Amino acid sequence: MPNLVLLGIQGSGKGTQAYLLKKNYGFDHLNIGSLLREEMKKKTDIGNDIKEYMLKGDLVPDKYIFSLVGPILHDNLKGVILDGFPRTLKQAEFLEKRMPVRCAIYFELDDKIAKERLSHRRVCQNCQQNYNLLLNDVKKDNKCSKCGNPLELRMDDNSEAINRRIAAFHDETKPVIEFFKDRDSLITIPATKKPEQIHQEIVYILGLAKPA
Ligand SMILES: [Zn+2]
């Protein structure tokens, strides 16, 4: 099982694709954004330090990311999907030294559509499942279909934070896309296609075999 990196502006459907790959092929989904939010909730030292960046929509400085993911990454990991990391060129270099990655999949999406999607995003704080009122079937009772917890707007999904995250993507994460392109390991997929269609495309490109 290859290790994958998912890249794309927030709202491009990284979480949905990670979920489908996990469900259908048994990948491990390493969602750095939810690890960071978890640290905030638990009020750890890192959590307290990164809170302001997170709530404003600024990128969390590399040093915090490194201390969080450093102990997790190693070169015999297999079948791991990295979501929300690397977000800067320094993070991409950090990753390259620690763990082999088969490819980075970039979900390309227009800023305007991303903003529209993010304002419709809901999350289950219990099991971290993401929903989108535009894409997913959210039941009328507005509860998580996996665990029944009420769905909430993510605390960093306000319009100012969304704009700052999109700006940070253009400034800091675009070079990461170039980084993988330079290594011939970038796959670009238009994120406007239907989630299931995108999933099938990924399966086909990677030549994934259904687990027995
Ligand atoms: Zn849930």
Side-chain angles (χ1 to χ4, degrees), residues 120-205:
H120 289 85
R121 181 157 76 171
R122 298 293 181 272
V123 66
C124 171
Q125 299 290 2
N126 181 46
C127 72
Q128 302 303 320
Q129 175 67 32
N130 273 293
Y131 291 87
N132 197 297
L133 303 179
L134 298 173
L135 297 173
N136 295 80
D137 291 330
V138 174
K139 285 189 265 167
K140 285 218 173 61
D141 61 4
N142 208 33
K143 284 183 178 162
C144 177
S145 60
K146 283 168 77 186
C147 72
N149 216 53
L151 300 179
E152 292 169 43
L153 191 67
R154 242 172 59 174
M155 59 185 150
D156 52 350
D157 274 349
N158 59 77
S159 68
E160 180 149 350
I162 290 172
N163 285 335
R164 291 180 77 101
R165 290 211 301 273
I166 289 176
F169 179 82
H170 289 292
D171 295 343
E172 303 285 348
T173 310
K174 283 279 171 75
V176 175
I177 293 166
E178 292 303 314
F179 174 93
F180 286 105
K181 200 187 264 176
D182 287 346
R183 282 152 182 77
D184 282 327
S185 55
L186 185 77
I187 294 167
T188 302
I189 297 180
T192 42
K193 295 183 184 180
K194 288 205 165 64
E196 186 55 36
Q197 196 183 349
I198 294 176
H199 176 61
Q200 291 309 330
E201 215 167 297
I202 294 171
V203 167
Y204 177 75
I205 293 170

Side-chain angles (χ1 to χ4, degrees), residues 88-134:
T88 66
L89 199 52
K90 282 228 167 73
Q91 291 176 20
E93 289 160 354
F94 183 89
L95 170 65
E96 190 175 47
K97 283 187 204 122
R98 283 165 181 80
M99 177 179 145
V101 169
R102 162 99 166 265
C103 61
I105 304 172
Y106 170 39
F107 302 109
E108 203 170 27
L109 189 68
D110 188 79
D111 289 0
K112 244 177 76 184
I113 303 176
K115 283 181 204 175
E116 167 88 5
R117 282 190 184 178
L118 288 174
S119 60
H120 289 85
R121 181 157 76 171
R122 298 293 181 272
V123 66
C124 171
Q125 299 290 2
N126 181 46
C127 72
Q128 302 303 320
Q129 175 67 32
N130 273 293
Y131 291 87
N132 197 297
L133 303 179
L134 298 173

